[in-house]
Amino acid sequence: MTVCVVQLARFIIRTILALALTFVCLNSGIAQAQELTAHEPPAAENDSTAEASKQAANPLANAWLMQVQQNTNWIGMPANNGNRVQSNLQFQPLMSVKLSDDWNLITRPIIQMFSTTPFLDQTGQDNRVTAFGDTVLALALSPGPKLVGNWLLAAGPSFIFPTATNSLIGENKWQVGPAAAVGYQGKNFITYVFPQQWFSVGGDGRKTSHMLLYYAFVHVYSNGWSVGTNPSMSVDWEAPRGNKLAFPVGLQVGKLRKLGPLPVKFDVQAQYYAVRPQVNGPKWNLQLQITPIFPALIGRK
């Protein structure tokens, strides 16, 4: 029990540190956000709110999104042993760099922290591992509106680096593969699919080949509210039969607010895994997101 308390305390402390990092990024963007909003006409306020809400949901946004995401998963245990809780905290900023009038470079690293489901250690005590996971980095070249209009298109490489601080959490493999995004944004909605596939290219862990696919439809309102779905499907091609696919369906509700002059999107999403791995597969997920939005700090004017 003492070990669990210590692990949980460490997880809470690291969560606070990750949130503190986000607020440091917020403060660095306040000055630029003030410059953009100071001259905004009051009549355009509703359109601006809806547009910012769309930007927060856009995987190819031309703003910088400093997103923090907390996932709480309820895992179904075998032999009718009930459910166990597993947590995953992600800091996943999206940074767009304007290369020219027609092309943008999208960069999205994901820094992860996991708190595993409880398990019996060598002493027979309930234990839980809390540690940083592997780091993901996606790069994509995206054409601007002058070339593709309201369509969202991008393609590039995606990498996974074996940065996990505990062997129970990381895969200990260097991985690389393709990433692509296809979507469309209307006046009051945005929809897209964003798959990433990775193959192992080095490291001491087992051979890996897996895919992560985000799919979304989000409808935004002029008052800052939004409703839609934004789950992620995963496929482990190397897993045994019955444990390859995790496919959730969910409902997401969000609200855009301004903290001072800075727009920040708050989202909550409940997801049910209609298809899940038979061994330790998640049944339910509660996802919380905080997405500060501020102008790109790098790029041509």
Side-chain angles (χ1 to χ4, degrees):
M1 178 64 69
T2 302
V3 174
C4 290
V5 171
V6 171
Q7 295 284 4
L8 182 59
R10 288 176 179 172
F11 180 73
I12 293 172
I13 291 171
R14 288 171 179 169
T15 301
I16 293 172
L17 290 175
L19 292 173
L21 176 61
T22 301
F23 286 117
V24 168
C25 294
L26 290 181
N27 290 333
S28 69
I30 288 265
Q32 293 199 32
Q34 286 176 330
E35 184 179 349
L36 284 184
T37 57
H39 306 291
E40 183 178 75
E45 184 175 350
N46 285 345
D47 288 341
S48 174
T49 299
E51 186 60 32
S53 187
K54 268 196 308 183
Q55 286 280 315
N58 188 347
L60 308 179
N62 55 25
W64 281 27
L65 312 178
M66 294 297 164
Q67 186 177 93
V68 176
Q69 181 184 105
Q70 168 65 37
N71 291 282
T72 302
N73 299 306
W74 282 264
I75 309 294
M77 304 302 289
N80 296 319
N81 285 330
N83 299 325
R84 298 292 181 94
V85 176
Q86 179 264 335
S87 294
N88 174 16
L89 177 68
Q90 298 182 347
F91 176 56
Q92 45 187 21
L94 185 146
M95 294 164 285
S96 174
V97 177
K98 190 173 184 179
L99 302 178
S100 70
D101 290 339
D102 297 325
W103 293 94
N104 297 321
L105 176 65
I106 308 298
T107 304
R108 185 166 195 174
I110 301 179
I111 301 169
Q112 309 180 83
M113 187 185 301
F114 290 90
S115 182
T116 65
T117 55
F119 61 91
L120 293 179
D121 60 18
Q122 295 178 348
T123 65
Q125 303 267 337
D126 238 10
N127 200 356
R128 182 191 296 269
V129 171
T130 301
F132 285 99
D134 293 338
T135 299
V136 181
L137 175 63
L139 302 171
L141 195 61
S142 176
K146 290 183 180 179
L147 296 180
V148 295
N150 289 334
W151 287 95
L152 304 173
L153 301 173
S158 185
F159 307 89
I160 297 180
F161 305 113
T163 58
T165 55
N166 190 289
S167 59
L168 293 177
I169 290 177
E171 295 179 304
N172 197 22
K173 297 292 289 188
W174 296 85
Q175 301 173 66
V176 65
V182 179
Y184 187 86
Q185 57 178 341
K187 181 179 180 181
N188 297 314
F189 73 91
I190 183 169
T191 183
Y192 65 86
V193 292
F194 177 26
Q196 299 176 83
Q197 167 70 39
W198 298 281
F199 305 95
S200 56
V201 294
D204 298 327
R206 70 175 180 88
K207 179 182 177 182
T208 60
S209 175
H210 54 100
M211 180 181 72
L212 182 66
L213 184 147
Y214 297 94
Y215 64 97
F217 178 88
V218 179
H219 189 279
V220 301
Y221 298 90
S222 59
N223 59 4
W225 285 96
S226 65
V227 63
T229 185
N230 187 17
S232 59
M233 178 188 78
S234 61
V235 183
D236 185 349
W237 303 109
E238 298 293 330
R241 184 176 179 181
N243 291 287
K244 295 181 183 293
L245 177 64
F247 180 78
V249 292
L251 177 65
Q252 183 184 67
V253 177
K255 174 65 173 176
L256 184 86
R257 300 297 298 268
K258 285 194 174 182
L259 301 182
L262 191 69
V264 180
K265 183 75 180 297
F266 299 87
D267 290 287
V268 59
Q269 179 171 216
Q271 301 182 71
Y272 170 72
Y273 282 81
V275 181
R276 59 184 180 270
Q278 296 175 358
V279 178
N280 294 339
K283 296 174 65 176
W284 292 92
N285 167 267
L286 180 64
Q287 183 182 92
L288 305 175
Q289 286 185 168
I290 302 175
T291 309
I293 309 166
F294 55 91
L297 302 179
I298 302 174
R300 295 175 51 176
K301 295 183 178 181

